[in-house]
Structure formats: structure tokens, C-alpha cells
């Protein structure tokens, strides 16, 4: 199985700032990486797939980049609703596998 | 609006089985795969398996073969997951999630999860 290593595990930032979350695959996954947001009491939300394609409804302050083994999720101009848990997931091969998550907290 | 509504929390005894449901609306059920995923408290998300709404064809993560059985009821657009021989290691939140895909004119690409149920907590305890 493809191992996904996500960093950092925790991140604190203030509204209006920009942050980046990294995801590294144990082997090349081409461009096939997705990013999700998880918040208590809400359904998980797909933000980005295929590395950089924004899912319908994802605000433009979110962007994804990378290919091969190294990927980054960047959130610019943080809004209060952006705080929560973020996961990456490779969708290049079966079984789909997830990173361990990044908790984005308000500073 | 696509919606996936999961059944309520379960408290089950060790050795027992439980059947979870995921009722869908807002899209053509038979055109998509549905996946089930597991998340233990504070842990990673794991993919259990998927099932095609059109014909019930299934695929499983090797880790969960023999533990999970996926079925669908097309008439009610509902997906089900049976978990058997439950132990404390099965205590977790279980999600259903629709598998999204797109077509570039030549190939289909997908295997990401574009809509999720709210999750259901299964607690295995005597």
C-alpha cells in the first residue's frame, strides 16, 4: 500500500494569514492526490482532487500543488471557518490511503 | 443536492455482528461506487471497500476481507455494510462516501470521495 506522510501534525495561525500543509507519498502517485476537511458534527468535505483541481464549491483561497511524491495544500487569507482537520488521500491506486491529518487551530 | 444519511450509533457485544446503512438521495445511485471507511478515535482514515450501485460488484481492502460485507438495495438507493465477529478493534466511526470520477474524453479518473455521510460510531463492549 502507498504510505502517505502528512506534515505538520499541528498548525496554529491567525485569520488572514496563509498556511501550507504537506503530504508525501511513499512512491509516485502522479497527480492523483485529494485533500479533505474534517470538522466535528459535519460531513467530511472534499476540497481538491487530482492534485490541483478545486471541487465545486471550494473557495479560491484554497490551492493544491505537486506531483509525483510531494504535494502541498495552501490556504491563503484564512477565514474562521477554515480551522479544523485536513487529510490528504492518494487516488492513484488501490487501496486508497490517507495521511495522518493536520490540525489547523486558531492562534 | 447529494445527501448520504447514515444510521444511528450502535453499541454491540463482542462476537456479535452489526449492519450499518447509508441512504442516499440527490443523484443516480446506480451510476456510482459507494465506499465505506473506518476511523478509530484520533487515528487515520482507512478504506474498507467499495460497491457499485449499478450491479453490486464489490472490492475490498485485503485488511477487511472477512470482516466487512457490502451490499446495496437499488430500489431504495441505500448501501449497507455488515461487520461480523466484532472485537474492541472494531470500535470506530464508520463513514460511507460516494466515489467521484471525471471523464477527460478518453479515460475515466476517480477514486476520491466527493460526498460523505456524517459517520456512525460503533462501540463494541460487553
Amino acid at each position: 500500500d502507498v504510505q502517505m506522510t502528512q506534515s505538520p501534525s499541528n498548525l496554529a495561525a491567525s485569520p488572514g494569514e496563509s498556511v501550507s500543509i504537506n503530504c508525501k507519498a511513499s512512491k509516485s502517485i502522479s497527480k492523483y492526490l485529494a485533500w479533505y476537511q474534517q470538522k466535528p458534527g459535519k460531513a467530511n468535505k472534499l476540497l481538491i482532487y487530482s492534485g490541483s483541481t478545486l471541487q465545486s464549491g471550494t473557495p479560491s483561497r484554497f490551492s493544491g500543488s505537486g506531483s509525483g511524491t510531494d504535494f502541498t495544500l495552501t490556504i491563503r487569507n484564512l477565514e474562521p471557518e477554515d480551522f479544523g482537520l485536513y487529510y490528504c488521500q492518494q487516488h492513484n491506486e488501490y487501496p486508497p490511503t490517507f495521511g495522518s491529518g493536520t490540525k489547523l487551530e486558531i492562534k | 443536492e447529494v445527501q448520504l444519511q447514515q444510521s444511528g450509533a450502535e453499541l454491540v457485544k463482542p462476537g456479535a455482528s452489526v449492519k450499518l446503512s447509508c441512504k442516499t438521495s440527490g443523484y443516480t445511485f446506480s451510476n456510482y461506487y459507494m465506499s465505506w471507511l473506518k476511523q478509530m478515535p484520533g487515528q487515520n482514515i482507512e478504506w474498507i471497500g467499495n460497491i457499485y450501485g449499478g450491479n453490486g460488484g464489490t472490492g475490498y481492502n485485503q485488511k477487511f476481507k472477512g470482516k466487512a460485507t457490502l451490499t446495496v438495495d437499488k430500489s431504495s438507493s441505500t448501501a449497507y455494510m455488515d461487520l461480523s465477529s466484532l472485537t474492541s478493534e472494531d470500535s470506530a466511526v464508520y463513514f460511507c462516501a460516494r466515489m467521484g470520477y471525471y471523464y477527460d474524453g478518453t479515460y475515466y479518473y476517480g477514486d476520491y470521495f466527493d460526498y460523505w455521510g456524517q459517520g456512525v460510531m460503533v462501540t463494541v463492549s460487553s
Side-chain angles (χ1 to χ4, degrees):
Chain A
D1 299 359
V2 180
Q3 304 301 313
M4 306 301 295
T5 303
Q6 208 172 319
S7 62
S9 303
N10 295 281
L11 190 53
S14 301
E17 291 184 339
S18 296
V19 296
S20 291
I21 300 170
N22 301 302
C23 191
K24 188 174 184 67
S26 60
K27 61 189 274 192
S28 176
I29 56 171
S30 186
K31 65 177 181 177
Y32 300 110
L33 188 93
W35 292 97
Y36 302 87
Q37 181 188 65
Q38 185 176 70
K39 302 181 85 167
K42 292 187 137 186
N44 293 345
K45 186 178 177 184
L46 171 68
L47 299 170
I48 288 170
Y49 60 92
S50 292
S52 61
T53 302
L54 264 61
Q55 170 70 348
S56 175
T58 299
S60 59
R61 61 182 181 273
F62 290 85
S63 64
S65 62
S67 65
T69 60
D70 293 286
F71 297 82
T72 301
L73 172 69
T74 300
I75 314 172
R76 293 184 168 80
N77 193 20
L78 278 166
E79 297 279 348
E81 63 265 28
D82 297 337
F83 295 92
L85 265 167
Y86 289 83
Y87 290 93
C88 62
Q89 175 241 329
Q90 64 83 15
H91 59 99
N92 184 62
E93 62 179 68
Y94 274 80
T97 46
F98 289 78
S100 54
T102 295
K103 187 173 185 179
L104 175 58
E105 297 178 298
I106 301 175
K107 189 186 287 184
Chain B
E1 181 192 4
V2 174
Q3 293 190 325
L4 281 63
Q5 183 62 44
Q6 295 187 240
S7 45
E10 299 274 1
L11 173 62
V12 291
K13 294 191 185 315
S17 297
V18 68
K19 188 170 188 172
L20 309 181
S21 67
C22 175
K23 183 167 177 58
T24 73
S25 60
Y27 72 98
T28 303
F29 183 77
S30 58
N31 287 353
Y32 288 84
Y33 281 87
M34 183 69 75
S35 274
W36 289 86
L37 304 102
K38 176 184 180 182
Q39 187 172 31
M40 296 179 74
Q43 300 294 314
N44 236 1
I45 301 171
E46 296 179 280
W47 179 77
I48 295 171
N50 63 7
I51 185 165
Y52 188 52
N55 62 8
T58 55
Y60 293 92
N61 187 331
Q62 186 67 31
K63 179 178 178 180
F64 293 96
K65 281 185 176 177
K67 170 61 66 177
T69 301
L70 306 185
T71 56
V72 293
D73 178 358
K74 287 171 61 175
S75 67
S76 63
S77 300
T78 302
Y80 297 92
M81 178 172 68
D82 269 291
L83 295 169
S84 62
S85 304
L86 290 165
T87 72
S88 59
E89 289 299 301
D90 298 313
S91 292
V93 175
Y94 291 88
F95 298 97
C96 59
R98 193 183 82 167
M99 299 191 82
Y101 63 89
Y102 62 94
Y103 183 61
D104 72 351
T106 305
Y107 297 109
Y108 284 93
Y109 298 90
D111 300 331
Y112 49 88
F113 309 101
D114 60 355
Y115 291 94
W116 295 65
Q118 79 276 20
V120 57
M121 181 73 207
V122 174
T123 303
V124 182
S125 175
S126 54

